[in-house]
């Protein structure tokens, strides 16, 4: 929908660079569920700071130029 209406967006899954299927990234950047094991799905605070926030800020700043 965003593409259809030319609305800028950040696709963190495609463009984020965080691959939770890599064991080191999963244990470092994913939250642990009730089992105590990282869940491959939900990023922790460090993952947001490293892989999402800078890219979102960059996207917003780029789109504010117009």
């Amino acid at each position: 929908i965003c593409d259809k209406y030319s609305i800028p967006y950040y696709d963190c899954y495609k463009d984020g660079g965080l691959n939770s299927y890599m064991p080191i990234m999963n244990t470092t950047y994913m939250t642990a569920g009730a089992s105590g094991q990282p869940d491959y799905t939900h990023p922790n605070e460090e993952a947001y700071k490293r892989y999402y926030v800078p890219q979102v800020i960059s996207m917003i700043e780029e789109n504010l130029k117009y």
Side-chain angles (χ1 to χ4, degrees), residues 43-56:
N44 62 22
E45 184 177 352
E46 182 63 28
Y48 279 105
K49 289 177 183 177
R50 180 175 287 226
Y51 291 99
Y52 298 154
V53 172
Q55 292 86 335
V56 170

Side-chain angles (χ1 to χ4, degrees), residues 1 17-18 21 25 27 37 45-47 50-51 61 65:
I1 294 298
L18 179 60
Y21 291 102
M25 288 188 146
T27 57
Q37 297 298 314
E45 184 177 352
E46 182 63 28
R50 180 175 287 226
Y51 291 99
E61 289 174 344
K65 293 178 183 177

Side-chain angles (χ1 to χ4, degrees), residues 10-44:
Y10 172 65
D11 184 343
C12 60
Y13 183 76
K14 185 179 87 171
D15 300 326
L18 179 60
N19 182 348
S20 64
Y21 291 102
M22 293 177 62
I24 189 70
M25 288 188 146
N26 186 41
T27 57
T28 305
Y29 297 115
M30 295 292 127
T31 59
S35 68
Q37 297 298 314
D39 65 5
Y40 296 95
T41 303
H42 300 96
N44 62 22

Side-chain angles (χ1 to χ4, degrees), residues 54-66:
Q55 292 86 335
V56 170
I57 290 172
S58 177
M59 183 204 70
I60 291 169
E61 289 174 344
E62 184 65 30
N63 284 286
L64 287 176
K65 293 178 183 177
Y66 298 105

